[in-house]
Amino acid sequence: MDYSQFLYMREELVLIVAIVVLFLADLFFCTDRKSGRGVYNTPLPAILMGLVTIANAVPCCMESFELFGGMYQHTPMMSLVKTVLNLGTLIVFLMSHKWLSREENLVKQGEFYLLVMFTLLGMYFMISSGHFLMFFIGLEMASIPVAALVAYDKYRFTSAEAGAKFILLALFSSALLLYGVSFLYGLTGTLYFEGLATKMTFSYLGVGALLLFIAGMGFKISLVPFHLWTADTYEGAPTTVTGYLSVVSKSSAAFVLFVLLAKLFPTGEYAAAWQTALFWIVIASITIANLFALRQQNIKRFMAFSAISQAGYIVLAIPGTTAQGMTALVFYLLVYMAANLGAFTVMTSVEQSSNQVTIDSYNGLYSTNPKLSFIMTLCLFSLAGIPPFAGFFSKFFVFMAAFNAGQHLLVFIALVNTIISLYYYLLIVKAMYINKSDAPIATFQSDAYSRLALVLCTLGVVGLGIASCVYNYIDAVSLL
């Protein structure tokens, strides 16, 4: 084997170097237990993650290539998606500073950063896989450390319970996915994506394999009816981990689902089968999540059902498997990342300052913390798809891609559900600006790292709706 091929895996190598540096820093750098400050807590991980993002963003190779006999694949779009995931991870590191500075987390800071970066490495392998073996290794590398992150507050019952639920259901979903892959191997005799695409002939066993594969991926993206873990896990996990789960993990799985369906089942009876399945899954995800979101009082459970609904909109770009759909999906992921992480940064700041996680606790927040309330409003408006914020344009492009793919009824149902989502997002805005409270959350100042994360998210929410060059660049890359 030609080991020089490893040198072409630029994104993975840069991330592995950052992981090794953080591992050594965890061994030799100690955080000050009294002040919660040190070289390790946030500055070093954030700087390394920023360097990784910059290194990956440099378009040194705009050509597609394969390594290790086709097991590893590289395209400009894959490199772009990895950069988007890096941005989300960087924001998560920034918003985690105050939480990791708490007394009970000082000795566990290293584990948090390393686990997050290992999950990111798994997502890299999953995105660049050209073989189901490498795909599954990446999938598990991205999933198993997340269970440890969910149970990070191990002495808190809800966190331990959330971690147990996540790992058990993750194992079950992986078993379903592997069962489907075994059917595909039995039908074709290969696990290479290109080989599967050329050898697949229509059979009911193949349809069963396809549905099992969609079920396994549906768990990772939190699509109905594979969503039952989401609310309990989001509520029990630390808020920063919940933000990471809702955006970065979901984004990689959605992109991979699009790519695999486009590669393996682009046309014919199989395409009709998975498009029909996604039709009902999208309707169920958007509708059921919106209705359940109306009933929530815990803001983390509220955001869990919001994430399920947003997953339905993301998958709306997949039917047709066109370059336009790919562009719409990646742009939606970028905008959703900015808006959702902005909202979670505000939630983290409020929780760390007041230990409040209910929607009612946000009553009168504008009177004591107007800046945070304003940023939260921008993020919620973007999630709801209100113009002129970026969320409006991301939804528009997704709807346009689905409409051009012939999914007219599906687009209409999604538009109706957008009105419902606008109502429940406005409930939080109403709580902050209109509802009165005898004891509103006291005025507090967020730490510098959280403020930087909020600045980045606000720029994304506002700027991505104005800077058309971003969408044009994604569109150009999707055609390569």
Side-chain angles (χ1 to χ4, degrees):
M1 186 177 70
D2 183 9
Y3 290 99
S4 65
Q5 294 179 91
F6 284 106
L7 299 177
Y8 291 94
M9 301 170 63
R10 178 171 63 102
E11 293 93 349
E12 288 76 13
L13 288 177
V14 171
L15 183 58
I16 289 173
V17 169
I19 290 173
V20 172
V21 172
L22 283 179
F23 182 78
L24 294 175
D26 188 34
L27 287 177
F28 298 109
F29 293 163
C30 296
T31 301
D32 185 352
R33 291 178 177 272
K34 294 182 179 179
S35 64
R37 298 175 182 174
V39 177
Y40 190 78
N41 183 18
T42 307
L44 181 59
I47 290 171
L48 286 174
M49 200 66 240
L51 292 175
V52 170
T53 304
I54 294 172
N56 288 1
V58 176
C60 67
C61 182
M62 296 300 288
E63 297 180 356
S64 301
F65 58 83
E66 296 181 348
L67 301 175
F68 308 108
M71 292 192 72
Y72 178 92
Q73 298 183 345
H74 174 274
T75 65
M77 179 56 79
M78 291 177 180
S79 183
L80 176 61
V81 172
K82 292 174 184 178
T83 302
V84 172
L85 299 182
N86 290 340
L87 286 171
T89 305
L90 174 60
I91 294 174
V92 170
F93 281 1
L94 294 173
M95 65 188 279
S96 303
H97 174 77
K98 189 171 183 179
W99 169 62
L100 289 173
S101 298
R102 299 177 66 167
E103 181 69 27
E104 65 270 20
N105 294 330
L106 289 179
V107 296
K108 300 187 294 181
Q109 292 174 359
E111 286 86 344
F112 175 80
Y113 294 117
L114 289 171
L115 285 170
V116 169
M117 296 188 81
F118 270 116
T119 65
L120 189 61
L121 182 61
M123 294 174 201
Y124 278 16
F125 288 139
M126 190 168 62
I127 289 170
S128 292
S129 59
H131 188 279
F132 265 118
L133 178 60
M134 184 172 179
F135 163 78
F136 187 73
I137 291 173
L139 182 68
E140 292 306 296
M141 188 183 294
S143 299
I144 295 175
V146 169
L149 288 171
V150 171
Y152 192 85
D153 291 338
K154 59 182 180 181
Y155 296 116
R156 191 161 59 91
F157 173 75
T158 54
S159 183
E161 179 188 9
K165 289 182 178 179
F166 180 85
I167 192 64
L168 289 174
L169 291 174
L171 291 173
F172 180 69
S173 68
S174 296
L176 289 177
L177 191 148
L178 275 181
Y179 197 36
V181 171
S182 68
F183 286 169
L184 293 176
Y185 181 75
L187 287 170
T188 62
T190 182
L191 291 176
Y192 283 97
F193 297 157
E194 293 183 359
L196 282 165
T198 57
K199 296 180 180 180
M200 282 293 293
T201 56
F202 183 78
S203 66
Y204 290 111
L205 185 62
V207 173
L210 175 61
L211 294 179
L212 287 170
F213 171 75
I214 292 176
M217 294 302 295
F219 170 86
K220 308 300 180 184
I221 310 176
S222 301
L223 294 170
V224 175
F226 319 107
H227 69 292
L228 297 177
W229 62 276
T230 310
D232 290 339
T233 300
Y234 278 34
E235 181 183 10
T239 305
T240 53
V241 176
T242 303
Y244 183 78
L245 264 177
S246 68
V247 174
V248 181
S249 180
K250 188 189 302 292
S251 298
S252 60
F255 175 78
V256 170
L257 179 62
F258 185 109
V259 171
L260 291 188
L261 290 178
K263 282 184 177 180
L264 303 182
F265 315 103
T267 57
E269 294 172 298
Y270 281 121
W274 68 254
Q275 286 179 3
T276 301
L278 288 187
F279 177 87
W280 293 109
I281 288 174
V282 169
I283 291 176
S285 298
I286 296 175
T287 305
I288 293 176
N290 284 344
L291 294 177
F292 273 85
L294 295 170
R295 304 173 60 243
Q296 303 307 313
Q297 286 301 313
N298 184 292
I299 195 166
K300 292 169 71 174
R301 293 184 70 89
F302 172 89
M303 294 302 293
F305 286 104
S306 167
I308 296 170
S309 175
Q310 296 290 341
Y313 288 110
I314 293 171
V315 175
L316 193 61
I318 295 180
T321 59
T322 60
Q324 182 187 32
M326 173 64 75
T327 304
L329 183 141
V330 175
F331 184 73
Y332 195 104
L333 293 177
L334 182 60
V335 172
Y336 173 60
M337 182 174 294
N340 214 49
L341 287 181
F344 270 99
T345 303
V346 174
M347 290 163 52
T348 301
S349 298
V350 170
E351 182 181 0
Q352 295 303 313
S353 299
S354 64
N355 202 30
Q356 298 292 328
V357 293
T358 63
I359 295 177
D360 289 340
S361 64
Y362 283 71
N363 290 345
L365 183 65
Y366 179 76
S367 62
T368 56
N369 296 275
K371 293 180 181 178
L372 282 180
S373 300
F374 180 70
I375 294 174
M376 185 70 162
T377 302
L378 295 183
C379 294
L380 293 175
F381 280 0
S382 182
L383 290 172
I386 297 177
F389 303 107
F392 168 78
F393 297 98
S394 64
K395 278 190 169 60
F396 173 79
F397 292 135
V398 165
F399 290 159
M400 184 170 63
F403 190 86
N404 290 338
Q407 301 289 339
H408 303 158
L409 178 60
L410 187 58
V411 171
F412 174 76
I413 296 173
L415 282 170
V416 172
N417 274 278
T418 301
I419 301 173
I420 301 175
S421 67
L422 173 61
Y423 172 75
Y424 65 72
Y425 285 126
L426 287 177
L427 290 177
I428 298 181
V429 178
K430 175 176 176 287
M432 293 188 297
Y433 286 87
I434 299 176
N435 292 356
K436 303 297 181 182
S437 175
D438 295 332
I441 293 173
T443 302
F444 65 90
Q445 187 175 16
S446 303
D447 61 276
Y449 298 100
S450 294
R451 291 199 296 272
L452 178 56
L454 289 172
V455 168
L456 293 175
C457 293
T458 304
L459 288 175
V461 168
V462 177
L464 291 173
I466 301 173
S468 60
C469 58
V470 176
Y471 180 84
N472 292 336
Y473 177 75
I474 297 173
D475 188 45
V477 171
S478 68
L479 297 173
L480 295 177

